[in-house]
Amino acid sequence: MKKKIILYSVIALVVLIIFFAGYVAAWMQTNNFAIENYKKAEEALKAGKYLDAINGYQVFDAKLQKYVTYVGFTQISTMFEGHPIFGIPSIVEKAKKEVMKLIVTMPTDDLETYFQNTVRNKNPYILYVLAELIHRTSDQSKISMYENIFSLVGGKTNEITKYYDTLHKEANE
């Protein structure tokens, strides 16, 4: 009887160790992926490709004979959501800061394109984007449209200034 208990305990321990090792490996792989893609996003930013930097891009790799996808700062900033067992890597916070800076500094046309490309997706920055667009435009019909969308995606119109102020504060830190 004792041998069975010891055997089951050892089996349970081995399974737990395998699970833990797999989780550690996946966390490290995701972290390395985030770092590699952060560097690619920085390169895109330096080249003035704001949309590629913030939202990612694809390039055709002739050696692999397929398209390779690089994620942008937005995706990097959300990679570890809900999985902070080993903590959230510093690269995630750096990516969040870059997203906020880009929302404030990218040309309005690019910001509008970013908005149009991500409004249907789960984008944690959409209310900040809308607040920025509302403050940038003087076209009353666009302001009304953005305010309506702001309300539809979960914001309250009396919070627009709060989002705008928070965006600019975080972008300038």
Side-chain angles (χ1 to χ4, degrees), residues 40-103:
K40 290 292 186 180
E42 279 184 317
E43 290 172 11
L45 184 58
K46 286 177 186 168
K49 298 177 180 178
Y50 303 107
L51 293 171
D52 289 349
I54 199 167
N55 218 33
Y57 59 98
Q58 288 185 326
V59 292
F60 186 76
D61 187 318
K63 285 183 184 177
L64 299 174
Q65 288 295 303
K66 67 177 186 175
Y67 282 92
V68 177
T69 300
Y70 295 100
V71 300
F73 294 126
T74 301
Q75 295 81 8
I76 295 167
S77 74
T78 61
M79 275 185 182
F80 288 85
E81 281 184 355
H83 304 288
I85 291 176
F86 296 114
I88 297 175
S90 61
I91 199 77
V92 170
E93 286 304 316
K94 285 175 67 176
K96 286 179 183 179
K97 183 165 267 325
E98 287 299 326
V99 171
M100 297 300 250
K101 284 181 186 176
L102 276 167
I103 292 170

Side-chain angles (χ1 to χ4, degrees), residues 9 14 16 54 56 66 69 78 81 117-118 126 148 166 171:
S9 297
V14 168
L16 187 63
I54 199 167
K66 67 177 186 175
T69 300
T78 61
E81 281 184 355
N117 291 343
T118 62
I126 202 69
N148 288 334
T166 301

Side-chain angles (χ1 to χ4, degrees), residues 147-172:
E147 287 175 342
N148 288 334
I149 295 170
F150 190 91
S151 296
L152 288 172
V153 295
K156 296 180 178 121
T157 52
N158 63 341
E159 296 178 328
I160 292 170
T161 301
K162 179 182 107 179
Y163 275 89
Y164 179 82
D165 291 343
T166 301
L167 169 67
H168 282 262
K169 179 183 172 211
E170 290 187 23
N172 293 319

